[in-house]
Amino acid sequence: MNNHFNKILGAAALGVLLYSCESKPKEETKLEEPVQEQVFGTTFQDKKVETYEIKNANGMKMKVTNFGARVTHLWVPDKDGNPVDVVLGFETLDGYLESSEKYFGAAIGRYGNRIADGKFTLDGEEYTLPQNNNGQTLHGGPGGMDYVIWNVEKSGENGLIFTYTSPDGEEGFPGELKVKMVYTLTDDNEFKVTYEAETDKATPVNLTHHSFFNLNGAGNGTVLDHTLQLNASEYTPVNDVLIPTGEVVSVKETPFDFTEPTRIGARINEENEQLKFGGGYDHNWVLDKSGADLTQAAVISSPQTGIEMEVWTTEPAIQFYSGNFLDGTITGKGDKVYEQRSAFCLETQHYPDSPNQPNFPSTILKPGEKYEQTCIYKFGTK
């Protein structure tokens, strides 16, 4: 999803890259190098901005920054064994701060997706949030978890632990929310994200991850050639500002039917009100599951590279976004231009606007409860 915002905080000057190795890989692993820290900028909000590099035993590699817990690079092997960086992003902090697309690779919270009119009522009290997307609140507001510095600890040689405490009232949300995320590159070529959160006051929570993927390689053309399957026979229609109507409807005989593998571009330009509202796909699919078991939500593959990505989740839904608002005005890594529909997002989540939709599964976290979810992006070739 996209948010063109006008207020950009002052960009930090790019520092000289400084490498340091704090630990050696365990002898039983096949890693050539330990987790690395690199200076990514000077400071943001008076805190040092750094990047961290991790690998798994197969040579799959990822770079992440503590600015928004963003994945800046993710190299996976193609059908010939060559590494392909499959996420859009930038080489510098300035790139992220100055971009018209705010969410490349970011952790999203407190509330992923949209809340209507930036308002909700909880326990008889109305809360007002910043409106940052056509009069709605998107992804927790302009100062959401994508736009803060997270604390980072290493977890072995192939993982990172991110923590952040959102104070009571941040972006209008009630309660102090303590969040912990663990990013791991498993030896099954999985990028695994686990989430935990606790609050001291009832509050909506809907965390997700927002990498913009292109399995042809970041900046390497359209994703309309990718084949997608979603294990979802229903979706939630939206109005013209992309807020759910409250309905849950069948995808059958609509362009939203991805129950069988289908090219993203096969029906994206059909005459359809929902496609018009989103400029393509930017909708929430209801997964064919009950309960919070870890289940497969999606499978997507590139015919060019042969790379296939499975998405597994404990969440009840997934947002599929087809990069409609990328418009060729952003130049990213390798001086490659990010054209329209040159990326897709698959964001595991609860439904959009659930605090205002009583028939949707609840997203309210209460004191004494623990929010937990898992999302896995698993890579292979076909």
Side-chain angles (χ1 to χ4, degrees), residues 145-165:
M145 293 181 181
D146 62 289
Y147 224 63
V148 301
I149 301 299
W150 290 69
N151 298 314
V152 184
E153 298 177 23
K154 299 182 173 101
S155 176
E157 305 298 346
N158 62 339
L160 296 166
I161 301 172
F162 292 87
T163 55
Y164 177 70
T165 298

Side-chain angles (χ1 to χ4, degrees), residues 206-207 287 289 313-317 348-350 371-374:
N206 188 27
L207 308 179
L287 298 176
K289 63 180 294 185
T313 184
T314 55
E315 291 291 275
T348 58
Q349 61 177 16
H350 269 63
Y371 172 100
E372 295 180 297
Q373 67 140 309
T374 299

Side-chain angles (χ1 to χ4, degrees), residues 152-257:
V152 184
E153 298 177 23
K154 299 182 173 101
S155 176
E157 305 298 346
N158 62 339
L160 296 166
I161 301 172
F162 292 87
T163 55
Y164 177 70
T165 298
S166 176
D168 184 16
E170 184 170 55
E171 296 299 278
F173 288 94
E176 179 183 85
L177 186 73
K178 295 182 178 180
V179 180
K180 175 183 175 182
M181 300 188 305
V182 181
Y183 290 2
T184 308
L185 288 185
T186 77
D187 291 341
D188 290 328
N189 282 3
E190 298 169 333
F191 166 35
K192 181 178 181 180
V193 187
T194 60
Y195 301 81
E196 296 178 6
E198 294 180 305
T199 184
D200 62 1
K201 189 184 298 184
T203 191
V205 181
N206 188 27
L207 308 179
T208 191
H209 177 75
H210 211 311
S211 276
F212 283 65
F213 294 99
N214 185 330
L215 303 185
N216 299 331
N220 290 348
T222 182
V223 296
L224 297 181
D225 62 341
H226 287 35
T227 297
L228 173 66
Q229 181 177 5
L230 295 173
N231 296 324
S233 55
E234 296 177 315
Y235 80 109
T236 52
V238 294
N239 62 20
D240 60 355
V241 290
L242 302 182
I243 294 295
T245 63
E247 301 169 282
V248 177
V249 303
S250 173
V251 300
K252 190 174 182 180
E253 297 181 354
T254 78
F256 293 83
D257 188 352

Side-chain angles (χ1 to χ4, degrees), residues 31-348:
L31 288 170
E32 297 177 358
E33 302 174 11
V35 175
Q36 297 183 8
E37 273 182 41
Q38 305 164 359
V39 175
F40 194 49
T42 51
T43 60
F44 177 77
Q45 297 177 346
D46 298 322
K47 296 180 180 179
K48 186 190 296 183
V49 180
E50 297 177 316
T51 63
Y52 305 83
E53 182 178 297
I54 56 176
K55 293 181 179 180
N56 70 2
N58 305 320
M60 184 174 162
K61 187 167 65 172
M62 181 167 69
K63 284 188 178 182
V64 186
T65 174
N66 58 345
F67 172 61
R70 294 168 185 264
V71 175
T72 64
H73 301 73
L74 178 58
W75 290 276
V76 301
D78 68 7
K79 59 187 176 184
D80 299 317
N82 300 313
V84 177
D85 182 6
V86 297
V87 296
L88 277 61
F90 303 98
E91 301 287 0
T92 67
L93 175 62
D94 286 4
Y96 290 95
L97 292 170
E98 296 170 0
S99 174
S100 57
E101 169 48 63
K102 188 181 178 189
Y103 300 110
F104 285 127
I108 300 297
R110 292 184 184 191
Y111 200 94
N113 221 304
R114 294 171 174 85
I115 293 179
D117 300 320
K119 295 179 181 179
F120 65 90
T121 298
L122 178 59
D123 295 335
E125 184 172 349
E126 184 176 85
Y127 293 89
T128 301
L129 317 174
Q131 297 177 356
N132 61 329
N133 185 259
N134 295 322
Q136 324 308 311
T137 298
L138 176 65
H139 292 335
M145 293 181 181
D146 62 289
Y147 224 63
V148 301
I149 301 299
W150 290 69
N151 298 314
V152 184
E153 298 177 23
K154 299 182 173 101
S155 176
E157 305 298 346
N158 62 339
L160 296 166
I161 301 172
F162 292 87
T163 55
Y164 177 70
T165 298
S166 176
D168 184 16
E170 184 170 55
E171 296 299 278
F173 288 94
E176 179 183 85
L177 186 73
K178 295 182 178 180
V179 180
K180 175 183 175 182
M181 300 188 305
V182 181
Y183 290 2
T184 308
L185 288 185
T186 77
D187 291 341
D188 290 328
N189 282 3
E190 298 169 333
F191 166 35
K192 181 178 181 180
V193 187
T194 60
Y195 301 81
E196 296 178 6
E198 294 180 305
T199 184
D200 62 1
K201 189 184 298 184
T203 191
V205 181
N206 188 27
L207 308 179
T208 191
H209 177 75
H210 211 311
S211 276
F212 283 65
F213 294 99
N214 185 330
L215 303 185
N216 299 331
N220 290 348
T222 182
V223 296
L224 297 181
D225 62 341
H226 287 35
T227 297
L228 173 66
Q229 181 177 5
L230 295 173
N231 296 324
S233 55
E234 296 177 315
Y235 80 109
T236 52
V238 294
N239 62 20
D240 60 355
V241 290
L242 302 182
I243 294 295
T245 63
E247 301 169 282
V248 177
V249 303
S250 173
V251 300
K252 190 174 182 180
E253 297 181 354
T254 78
F256 293 83
D257 188 352
F258 286 92
T259 54
E260 298 293 332
T262 305
R263 282 190 312 106
I264 291 175
R267 297 165 301 192
I268 198 169
N269 293 318
E270 285 188 8
E271 190 67 28
N272 177 277
E273 184 180 57
Q274 288 295 306
L275 290 175
K276 180 180 178 181
F277 287 159
Y281 297 108
D282 192 1
H283 295 74
N284 172 68
W285 271 257
V286 177
L287 298 176
D288 294 335
K289 63 180 294 185
S290 59
D293 291 341
L294 184 66
T295 54
Q296 188 188 79
V299 183
I300 189 166
S301 61
S302 159
Q304 294 185 32
T305 61
I307 295 172
E308 181 177 79
M309 184 178 83
E310 302 174 27
V311 184
W312 292 72
T313 184
T314 55
E315 291 291 275
I318 191 167
Q319 184 88 5
F320 166 47
Y321 170 57
S322 53
N324 313 310
F325 299 109
L326 297 173
D327 59 5
T329 62
I330 298 172
T331 300
K333 293 177 292 187
D335 291 327
K336 293 184 177 180
V337 175
Y338 296 154
E339 303 284 357
Q340 186 186 42
R341 296 173 181 163
S342 63
F344 66 89
C345 303
L346 289 168
E347 305 151 67
T348 58

